[in-house]
């Protein structure tokens, strides 16, 4: 079954840039058919190149390759694919990989904390300037609560240190110990 999942992935297909077509794992051509523009759920328009296999009727891989009644189609977003390649190259570079790793520790955990623990998941205001102001308030609140937590932890640590110091003092000089002259 794992093999069937891999067969359906477009990355398994060979791409002939010169002829602008793919070759499926069965050796058939997947030819360019048309351009298409779609809006995604957030309203962003994306341009796709639609490729269609020349004939999938007697292909032994058809059931694992596509659920379509007709021929296998590939919807290829060139911009998206270029961005993925660029991101992959950036992650393979040691210097940029270190920056991404540092970002996970320094920045992403803060957004995670604000969303998860502070339950801030959606802006109440609209417009870039108002959203900027609202997030500024959220960030200030987060930082104040962080400082308060650090101060509280420091206070508890001081109290703990004072307790341990007075207990050590009692062991050295028991309360019934009298100085005699």
């Amino acid at each position: 079954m794992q093999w069937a999942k891999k067969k359906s992935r477009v990355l398994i297909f060979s791409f002939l840039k010169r002829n602008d077509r793919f070759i499926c794992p069965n050796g058939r051509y997947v030819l360019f058919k048309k351009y298409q523009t779609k809006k995604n759920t957030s309203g962003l328009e994306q341009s796709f190149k639609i490729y269609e296999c020349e004939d999938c009727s007697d292909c032994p891989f058809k059931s694992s390759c596509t659920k379509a009644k007709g021929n296998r189609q590939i919807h290829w977003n060139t911009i998206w694919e270029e961005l993925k390649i660029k991101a992959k190259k950036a992650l393979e570079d040691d210097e940029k990989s270190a920056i991404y790793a540092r970002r996970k520790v320094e920045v992403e955990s803060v957004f995670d904390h604000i969303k998860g623990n502070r339950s801030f998941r959606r802006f109440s205001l609209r417009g870039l300037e108002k959203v900027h102001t609202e997030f500024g308030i959220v960030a200030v609140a987060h930082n104040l609560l962080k400082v308060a937590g650090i101060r509280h932890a420091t206070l508890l640590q001081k109290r703990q240190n004072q307790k341990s110091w007075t207990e050590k003092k009692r062991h050295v000089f028991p309360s019934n110990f009298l100085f005699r002259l």
Side-chain angles (χ1 to χ4, degrees):
M1 192 62 183
Q2 188 70 15
W3 177 82
K5 286 181 182 176
K6 286 186 178 181
K7 279 289 184 190
S8 67
R9 296 193 58 181
V10 175
L11 299 176
I12 301 295
F13 290 42
S14 301
F15 182 70
L16 302 174
K17 195 172 193 171
R18 184 173 39 125
N19 300 338
D20 193 24
R21 62 182 172 191
F22 289 92
I23 299 177
C24 79
N26 196 29
R28 302 215 172 131
Y29 292 121
V30 184
L31 306 169
F32 173 72
K33 186 177 178 183
K34 64 180 178 179
Y35 288 100
Q36 187 176 24
T37 304
K38 293 182 185 176
K39 273 192 180 181
N40 65 10
T41 53
S42 62
L44 179 70
E45 280 195 1
Q46 295 178 320
S47 299
F48 291 92
K49 289 177 85 172
I50 310 294
Y51 294 86
E52 188 172 320
C53 188
E54 56 190 3
D55 184 27
C56 294
S57 59
D58 61 340
C59 181
F61 306 125
K62 184 175 181 182
S63 61
S64 62
C65 184
T66 185
K67 295 177 184 175
K69 292 178 184 175
N71 294 329
R72 162 69 190 241
Q73 282 191 346
I74 297 173
H75 296 240
W76 191 258
N77 183 337
T78 53
I79 297 169
W80 174 253
E81 296 303 324
E82 286 173 13
L83 290 173
K84 284 195 317 190
I85 291 168
K86 184 179 175 184
K88 186 177 179 183
K89 282 182 183 175
L91 288 172
E92 289 171 351
D93 180 24
D94 291 337
E95 186 179 324
K96 290 180 181 175
S97 181
I99 292 169
Y100 282 117
R102 202 171 65 235
R103 176 185 169 169
K104 281 188 245 177
V105 174
E106 294 175 0
V107 180
E108 296 297 335
S109 60
V110 174
F111 289 126
D112 222 17
H113 188 69
I114 288 172
K115 283 176 71 176
N117 300 337
R118 305 272 182 247
S119 299
F120 184 79
R121 297 186 171 274
R122 175 175 300 225
F123 290 99
S124 302
L125 304 172
R126 297 290 171 248
L128 191 58
E129 190 175 325
K130 291 177 185 176
V131 166
H132 189 269
T133 303
E134 186 177 0
F135 190 76
I137 292 168
V138 169
V140 167
H142 172 76
N143 288 338
L144 286 173
L145 288 167
K146 197 171 175 182
V147 169
I150 292 169
R151 289 188 54 124
H152 182 69
T154 305
L155 179 67
L156 291 176
Q157 186 64 40
K158 282 183 182 177
R159 285 184 184 166
Q160 186 66 31
N161 289 344
Q162 285 177 345
K163 270 187 184 178
S164 64
W165 186 79
T166 53
E167 286 176 10
K168 284 180 186 175
K169 195 168 131 179
R170 282 187 198 146
H171 292 294
V172 174
F173 300 109
S175 59
N176 60 357
F177 181 79
L178 297 172
F179 286 100
R180 296 191 185 168
L181 294 173

